[in-house]
Amino acid sequence: MKIWDFYNWTRLSMRVHLKYAVLCAGDKIEITSAYLVDSYTDDDKTYVKRQAMILEIGYNLDDRSCDIVVGVPPVL
C-alpha cells in the first residue's frame, strides 16, 4: 500500500455499463485502453493491464450506467 502513500497517482473518471455497479471503493482492478495515457506512461505507450483502485462509484438507473472514479498509481 505504500505506493498509494508515497507517490502521486492519476485520477480517472469513467462512465461504464450498469453491470459494474457491483464494484465498491477499495476494489482493485486492471485497466487496458488504447486511449488512456498519463505523465507516468512512456512515449507511444498506453494503459496495458495497469493496476488501479476504485475510489468512488455511483450509478444511474435511468441511463443504465455507473460513474466510477479510479486511482492509478505510477509504474515503478
Side-chain angles (χ1 to χ4, degrees):
M1 292 297 290
K2 73 178 182 179
I3 195 165
W4 295 98
D5 294 332
F6 298 131
Y7 299 97
N8 292 327
W9 41 270
T10 303
R11 179 184 167 115
L12 295 175
S13 296
M14 298 183 284
R15 179 165 287 166
V16 296
H17 295 285
L18 189 60
K19 69 180 181 179
Y20 294 101
V22 297
L23 296 171
C24 65
D27 286 348
K28 290 187 177 181
I29 61 171
E30 282 186 349
I31 299 176
T32 298
S33 172
Y35 304 104
L36 294 175
V37 295
D38 60 17
S39 59
Y40 299 107
T41 308
D42 293 333
D43 292 339
D44 299 327
K45 300 286 183 178
T46 58
Y47 279 28
V48 178
K49 294 188 177 183
R50 289 284 299 269
Q51 296 292 319
M53 183 168 58
I54 303 292
L55 302 175
E56 180 181 330
I57 186 165
Y59 54 90
N60 185 334
L61 296 176
D62 293 335
D63 293 340
R64 302 189 74 170
S65 64
C66 288
D67 295 319
I68 296 176
V69 177
V70 179
V72 183
V75 176
L76 300 177

